[in-house]
């Protein structure tokens, strides 16, 4: 029989190894909690997740014109709403269209002129309409391109600061849109917010210390061209010291600070003082991986103007982004007030900041930033190293102290206990990860991807519940082994809490060493678990029956709510994006792994408590049963992801080009001419979901032969980004389109600069949107061009080098001159290169549709967002 060991404080129920580890059914029963407690705790956590979501959606009360007498310096939503209604009533404003180049520009000129009339006499406002042409290489991931532009327009306003300041703060947003979208949140709301801020500042009796430049740019959606034209060529560009960039990737909600780049920390210190701060560096690190199918002007100002600053975007309800539903009616009044309050306050703070005199004087750092309960936390990467290291050390010390308090100390038995417990948790995590991958792959193979697209709660059933179940299973197996070692469940549970805390502590240290700023997501639960354990031992509660459990759960409220808030935000941003990442990616894996990762981190706080549960196997059985029900829902019609309800649309996206194609041989004689509908499928389920409804898909022709024999499959490009999805597109033969804006391409001159260098000069005119693909023959090398200073990175298509030029015209179409120099072998007489050119008619006024095209478009269901274009594609050989 095992000898009972007691301490001097036995009367206070403080016992050491002997009693704690004695197999005593009565004492275990005291510490056990009913099976129903575990179910209620899970329900409570899911309810808390819903409450956090509702709380995060709260918006400030919008101010009206009548409120202005009580809040004379405040942002007024009423006026911004009025302006946005006028702007969106113009319809879609595609660069090069009448709506964008004439009507929208006139709107801003008129409103700014009125602001000038209403301004105080001490304020000075200048306006400049910039028409600019240029070119640059934009290294989009995974495929870059030369972006050229002619006569695109910017409306630029300068509110002068005091004492003839030579330093300026830049506020930027764009008024152009993608085809078919009125651009309510992307980015009309930001433009009218800037107008209202200009009104407020111009009516102030005080002038800011520095100038504020408002850039209303007219060509962002076409590859960030307008910002490039401004920062590289405008007369005020050199005086800009700091940037506030405003974007939209959703519709309404709250704007999110999601990017700072290499930031000067003082900018974020000012941002902490705005009324509604909101931001997560987690979003910045995801965005900068290049996996998000979007980019912003922030990149251009940073790369071409060496301007640092902060980047905001609306991210809620991304289903409306770049669709006809991104309209005026669906933006809550509180969204105007939220961004208006924040940007107006920040503009005043930065406009008066002494740091603006010479921002380069201040050391630049990558910065950790996040908001929690309305507070904005920020610290540099170096400070993060110190903070994370201190918390890690504290975590380890508290664990060692706790083991001594439990009477374990540093012994072979405690080492074995830690090792076995760690192995159990790691096994559970691995099992959960494997289960996630299998589930995602299974659903994808059965063509049931995206069941959670319009019902985000489906992710909880498909990936959260089995993750929790797998982790609990490994702990239950561990506890069955521990029963043989006569371990008391009370101590078992607390030991497991310490061990899982240690595992995340090591993950925190590794992430810190790798300079991953997002490890603050791990730091928060490690910190509060450590504090909880410290409190338990300081208050002598570790052997109490229920008190330690209550204290522990209360301490977890803050990290739980914090992680739920970040998970909810990540889901609301990324889930709609899964509808436009292309059919080559499996969204089940993307969202499954993300949900698994957050669930793992969050559930680690609670899984050790399964040790206290009587008959814990029942909990696991229920979790797996509910998971199976969710799988059945995903496989059934109930899991269909799309709907066309205008109040809450979840749309499947298609871009369609009615295309005429002409192919020429080495002697430039036409050898093939055809036409058809080129359908870009933007998600994993396309076009299978519409095949039974859109009968023309039965006429689909494989594009494999076109892709093998032609540059980029002989299809028109709207962006270099679609190269990765072009082989997954659809080609349906059709009659010739009606195209009035034809390509006019001719060689102006050919020069033999030396025995091995040939120069070709061309002139190109056509629609306002064109793309050119150049591919040297095997014996030729492109060594120079007149568009950008250096030959850009080479793309490879079917083992051939290709270079892409994307051209956009704005206020007027002017000829694009292209000069190309090639290195060839001496006395070479064969062809030097192939060139393919497409012209795209994307404006409603030029997008004339044949009856066949109209019938094809009308056959799509209401839940399909179809953006129609006309295009021509032609090839030449020189």
């Amino acid at each position: 029989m095992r000898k009972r060991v007691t301490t001097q404080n036995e009367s206070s129920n403080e016992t050491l190894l002997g009693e704690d580890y004695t197999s005593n059914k009565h004492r275990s029963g005291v510490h056990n909690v009913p099976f129903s407690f575990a179910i209620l705790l899970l329900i409570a956590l899911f309810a808390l997740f819903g409450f956090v979501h509702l709380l995060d959606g709260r918006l400030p009360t919008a101010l009206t014109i009548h409120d202005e007498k009580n809040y004379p310096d405040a942002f007024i939503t009423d006026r911004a709403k009025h302006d946005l209604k006028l702007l969106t009533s113009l319809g879609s404003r595609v660069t090069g269209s009448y709506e964008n180049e004439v009507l929208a520009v006139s709107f801003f000129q008129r409103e700014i002129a009125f602001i000038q009339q209403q301004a105080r006499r001490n304020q000075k406002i200048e306006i400049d309409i910039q028409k600019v042409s240029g070119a640059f290489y934009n290294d989009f991931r995974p495929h870059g391109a030369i972006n050229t532009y002619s006569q695109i327009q910017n409306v630029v306003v300068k509110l002068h600061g005091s004492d003839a300041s030579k330093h300026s703060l830049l506020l930027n947003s764009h008024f152009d849109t993608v085809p078919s979208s009125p651009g309510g949140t992307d980015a009309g709301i930001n433009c009218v917010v800037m107008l209202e801020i200009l009104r407020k500042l111009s009516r102030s009796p005080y002038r800011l210390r520095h100038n504020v430049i408002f850039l209303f740019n007219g060509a962002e959606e076409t590859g960030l061209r307008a910002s490039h034209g401004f920062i590289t060529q405008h007369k005020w560009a050199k005086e800009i010291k700091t940037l506030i960039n405003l974007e939209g990737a959703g519709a309404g909600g709250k704007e999110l600070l999601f990017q700072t780049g290499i930031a000067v920390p003082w900018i974020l210190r000012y941002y902490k003082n705005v009324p509604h701060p909101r931001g997560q560096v987690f979003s910045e690190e995801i965005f900068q991986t290049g996996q998000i199918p979007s980019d912003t002007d922030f990149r251009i100002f940073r790369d071409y103007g060496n301007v640092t600053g902060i980047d905001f975007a609306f991210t809620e309800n991304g289903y409306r982004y770049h669709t006809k539903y991104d309209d005026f009616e669906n933006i809550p009044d509180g969204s105007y007030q939220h961004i208006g309050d924040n940007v107006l306050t920040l503009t005043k703070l930065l406009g008066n900041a002494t740091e603006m005199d010479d921002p380069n004087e201040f050391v630049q750092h990558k910065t950790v930033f996040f908001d929690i309960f309305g507070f904005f936390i920020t610290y540099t990467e170096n400070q993060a190293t110190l903070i994370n290291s201190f918390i890690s050390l504290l975590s380890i010390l508290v664990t060692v102290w706790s083991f001594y308090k439990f009477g374990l100390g540093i012994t072979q038995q405690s080492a074995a206990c830690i090792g076995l417990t760690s192995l159990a948790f790691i096994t559970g995590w691995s099992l959960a990860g494997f289960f996630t991958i299998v589930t995602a792959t299974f659903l994808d193979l059965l063509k049931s991807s995206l069941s959670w697209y319009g019902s985000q709660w489906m992710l909880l059933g498909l990936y959260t519940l089995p993750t929790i179940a797998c982790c609990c299973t490994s702990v239950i197996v561990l506890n069955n082994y521990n029963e043989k070692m006569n371990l008391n469940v009370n101590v078992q549970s607390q030991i497991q809490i310490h061990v899982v805390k240690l595992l995340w502590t090591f993950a925190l240290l590794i992430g810190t060493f790798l300079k991953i700023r997002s490890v603050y997501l791990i730091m928060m639960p490690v910190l509060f678990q450590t504090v909880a354990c410290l409190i338990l031992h300081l208050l002598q509660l570790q052997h109490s029956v229920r008190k330690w459990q209550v204290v522990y759960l209360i301490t977890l409220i803050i990290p739980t709510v914090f992680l739920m808030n970040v998970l909810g935000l990540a889901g609301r941003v990324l889930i709609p994006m899964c509808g436009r990442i292309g059919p080559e990616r499996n969204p089940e894996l993307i969202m499954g792994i993300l949900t698994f990762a957050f669930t793992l981190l969050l559930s680690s706080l609670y899984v050790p408590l399964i040790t206290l549960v009587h008959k814990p196997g029942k909990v696991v059985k229920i979790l797996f049963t509910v998971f199976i029900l969710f799988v059945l829902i995903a496989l059934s019609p109930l899991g269909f992801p799309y709907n066309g309800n205008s109040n809450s649309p979840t749309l499947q996206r298609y871009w369609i080009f009615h295309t005429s194609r002409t192919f020429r041989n080495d002697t430039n004689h036409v050898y093939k001419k055809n036409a058809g509908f080129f359908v870009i499928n933007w998600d994993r389920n396309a076009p299978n979901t519409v095949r039974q409804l859109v009968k023309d898909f039965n006429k689909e022709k494989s594009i494999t032969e076109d892709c093998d024999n032609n540059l980029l499959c002989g299809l028109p490009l709207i962006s270099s980004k679609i190269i990765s999805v072009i082989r997954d597109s659809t080609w349906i033969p059709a009659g010739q389109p009606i195209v009035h804006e034809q390509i006019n391409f001719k060689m102006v001159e050919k020069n033999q600069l030396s025995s091995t260098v040939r120069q070709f000069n061309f002139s190109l005119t056509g629609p306002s949107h064109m793309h050119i693909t150049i591919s040297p023959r095997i014996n030729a090398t492109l060594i120079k061009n007149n568009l950008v200073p250096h030959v850009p990175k080479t793309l490879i298509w079917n083992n051939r080098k290709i270079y892409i030029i994307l051209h956009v015209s704005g206020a007027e179409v002017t000829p694009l001159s292209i000069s190309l120099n090639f290195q060839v072998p001496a006395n070479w007489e064969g062809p030097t290169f192939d060139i393919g050119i497409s012209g795209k008619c994307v404006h409603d006024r030029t997008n004339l549709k044949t009856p066949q095209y109209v019938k094809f478009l009308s056959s799509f269901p209401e839940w399909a967002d179809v953006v129609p274009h006309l295009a021509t594609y032609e090839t030449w050989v020189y």
Side-chain angles (χ1 to χ4, degrees), residues 118 228 401 414 580 624 653 722 730 738 758 766 782 793:
Q118 298 279 315
H228 180 268
W401 184 46
S414 63
R580 53 188 175 89
F624 276 121
R653 299 164 185 257
I722 75 163
T730 303
I738 303 170
R758 294 176 180 175
L782 180 65
K793 293 180 182 178

Side-chain angles (χ1 to χ4, degrees), residues 782-850:
L782 180 65
I783 59 174
K784 186 179 180 182
N785 69 92
N786 67 317
L787 301 174
V788 292
H790 307 287
V791 175
K793 293 180 182 178
T794 302
L795 304 181
I796 303 298
W797 181 268
N798 292 340
N799 297 318
R800 290 190 61 175
K801 296 179 179 179
I802 62 171
Y803 302 91
I804 297 172
I805 302 170
L806 300 169
H807 181 69
V808 174
S809 298
E812 57 185 291
V813 175
T814 58
L816 175 65
S817 297
I818 304 174
S819 179
L820 305 171
N821 289 12
F822 291 90
Q823 184 90 40
V824 295
N827 303 318
W828 174 256
E829 296 182 358
T832 306
F833 68 99
D834 297 90
I835 186 167
I837 303 176
S838 74
K840 295 169 287 293
C841 301
V842 296
H843 318 145
D844 288 339
R845 294 173 186 267
T846 59
N847 198 344
L848 303 177
K849 302 175 184 67
T850 64

Side-chain angles (χ1 to χ4, degrees), residues 479 482-483 487-497 611:
N479 292 337
N482 283 344
E483 278 188 5
L487 298 175
N488 182 277
V489 294
N490 185 55
V491 176
Q492 283 183 52
S493 182
Q494 293 182 62
I495 287 174
Q496 290 163 11
I497 289 171
T611 300

Side-chain angles (χ1 to χ4, degrees), residues 670-851:
V670 175
Y671 73 90
K672 183 170 73 171
K673 187 165 184 167
N674 61 20
F677 302 135
F678 166 43
V679 183
I680 300 178
N681 306 307
W682 284 113
D683 80 8
R684 187 72 164 183
N685 294 325
N688 295 326
T689 46
V690 298
R691 285 189 184 278
Q692 299 302 316
L693 301 172
V694 184
K695 301 303 181 183
D696 281 333
F697 274 98
N698 296 327
K699 305 174 186 177
E700 176 185 352
K701 180 182 177 182
S702 172
I703 63 170
T704 301
E705 182 179 345
D706 281 337
C707 291
D708 290 342
N709 299 326
N710 299 289
L711 303 177
L712 302 179
C713 304
L715 295 171
L717 291 183
I718 53 171
S719 164
S720 58
K721 293 181 180 181
I722 75 163
I723 293 176
S724 58
V725 305
I726 200 168
R727 291 183 184 271
D728 296 300
S729 60
T730 303
W731 177 259
I732 301 172
Q736 288 288 336
I738 303 170
V739 180
H740 292 308
E741 297 179 306
Q742 296 288 341
I743 295 169
N744 184 5
F745 181 66
K746 61 181 179 180
M747 184 168 66
V748 177
E749 189 178 22
K750 176 181 176 182
N751 299 312
Q752 190 75 33
L753 300 183
S754 72
S755 61
T756 60
V757 177
R758 294 176 180 175
Q759 182 184 70
F760 298 85
N761 297 316
F762 300 96
S763 177
L764 172 64
T765 57
S768 59
H769 293 63
M770 293 186 288
H771 101 252
I772 304 103
T773 304
I774 299 165
S775 180
R777 290 293 176 98
I778 192 169
N779 291 317
T781 303
L782 180 65
I783 59 174
K784 186 179 180 182
N785 69 92
N786 67 317
L787 301 174
V788 292
H790 307 287
V791 175
K793 293 180 182 178
T794 302
L795 304 181
I796 303 298
W797 181 268
N798 292 340
N799 297 318
R800 290 190 61 175
K801 296 179 179 179
I802 62 171
Y803 302 91
I804 297 172
I805 302 170
L806 300 169
H807 181 69
V808 174
S809 298
E812 57 185 291
V813 175
T814 58
L816 175 65
S817 297
I818 304 174
S819 179
L820 305 171
N821 289 12
F822 291 90
Q823 184 90 40
V824 295
N827 303 318
W828 174 256
E829 296 182 358
T832 306
F833 68 99
D834 297 90
I835 186 167
I837 303 176
S838 74
K840 295 169 287 293
C841 301
V842 296
H843 318 145
D844 288 339
R845 294 173 186 267
T846 59
N847 198 344
L848 303 177
K849 302 175 184 67
T850 64

